[in-house]
Amino acid sequence: MTDFQKYIQRYLDQIPSGNWLNELQISADKTIGIYSNLTEEQSNFAYTEGKWTLKGLLLHLSDTERVFQYRILAFARGEKNNLPGFDENEYANQSFASERTLESLLDEYKLVRKSSQILLETLQPSALQNTGTANGHEISVETIGKLIVGHNYHHLNIIEERYLSKLGWI
């Protein structure tokens, strides 16, 4: 297994059931549930120096999902060019999440997820099998859809283990 396949698999392994489209909604509901119960002050919490705040993490989820949406759209429509990768830390550094309200970040997350759901649910089944190249690696539309879900669950686990536990919520 290549390093890229291992990287992908670690996210795919996070999906709790075989129905990844259903898990798209479940992971959103869990994320919204957690963030809806945070105060503005709590959303500025980072579990250690140099790590993202809960606000920053939420915006990271939205940013990453937008990148994945573009890849899904491009490959579903037959794009043949190699799409660029992205540096999640550079995106986070330029996001200014701390200057936004938790409410605005949560509204954005909800809209981005709704957009993903509509895009994925309306693709023809054959389009899910289309492949393209992103960051030098071939990947299918379906796998990218699953990555949205697995990536969200990955961060839900981090939120539970490293943020909520330190806030004394679990």
Side-chain angles (χ1 to χ4, degrees):
M1 187 178 281
T2 68
D3 287 342
F4 178 70
Q5 291 168 326
K6 289 176 187 173
Y7 174 80
I8 296 296
Q9 196 60 49
R10 78 180 188 138
Y11 289 115
L12 299 182
D13 288 344
Q14 299 292 315
I15 303 171
S17 79
N19 187 343
W20 64 273
L21 279 172
N22 191 44
E23 294 293 344
L24 192 64
Q25 182 63 53
I26 294 168
S27 62
D29 291 344
K30 288 181 178 185
T31 303
I32 293 164
I34 289 170
Y35 278 91
S36 294
N37 287 304
L38 293 176
T39 65
E40 193 69 34
E41 182 181 343
Q42 290 167 328
S43 71
N44 288 308
F45 175 76
Y47 66 89
T48 194
E49 179 83 23
K51 293 299 183 179
W52 295 336
T53 64
L54 283 161
K55 277 185 178 179
L57 199 153
L58 184 59
L59 189 52
H60 164 72
L61 287 173
S62 295
D63 284 352
T64 302
E65 193 157 332
R66 280 193 168 111
V67 170
F68 288 168
Q69 284 176 351
Y70 175 68
R71 291 174 180 176
I72 288 166
L73 176 66
F75 299 155
R77 302 293 193 259
E79 179 64 59
K80 299 300 179 208
N81 291 311
N82 179 34
L83 301 182
F86 73 105
D87 182 333
E88 65 183 26
N89 290 309
E90 190 58 34
Y91 274 46
N93 291 340
Q94 299 297 319
S95 74
F96 304 101
S98 63
E99 296 178 19
R100 294 182 52 192
T101 66
L102 175 58
E103 181 181 14
S104 78
L105 292 167
L106 191 53
D107 286 345
E108 180 177 355
Y109 173 84
K110 291 173 186 176
L111 290 169
V112 169
R113 179 52 57 95
K114 185 65 174 173
S115 178
S116 291
Q117 289 173 302
I118 292 168
L119 176 61
L120 288 162
E121 290 171 358
T122 59
L123 290 175
Q124 293 295 312
S126 60
L128 291 172
Q129 302 315 307
N130 286 4
T131 61
T133 305
N135 200 24
H137 300 282
E138 187 174 1
I139 191 166
S140 74
V141 169
E142 182 175 350
T143 299
I144 299 168
K146 290 177 179 178
L147 284 175
I148 291 173
V149 177
H151 179 255
N152 199 148
Y153 274 117
H154 165 75
H155 283 292
L156 282 169
N157 289 334
I158 289 173
I159 289 168
E160 185 176 295
E161 294 168 6
R162 300 180 190 167
Y163 290 82
L164 301 185
S165 65
K166 291 205 175 183
L167 288 169
W169 290 4
I170 59 168

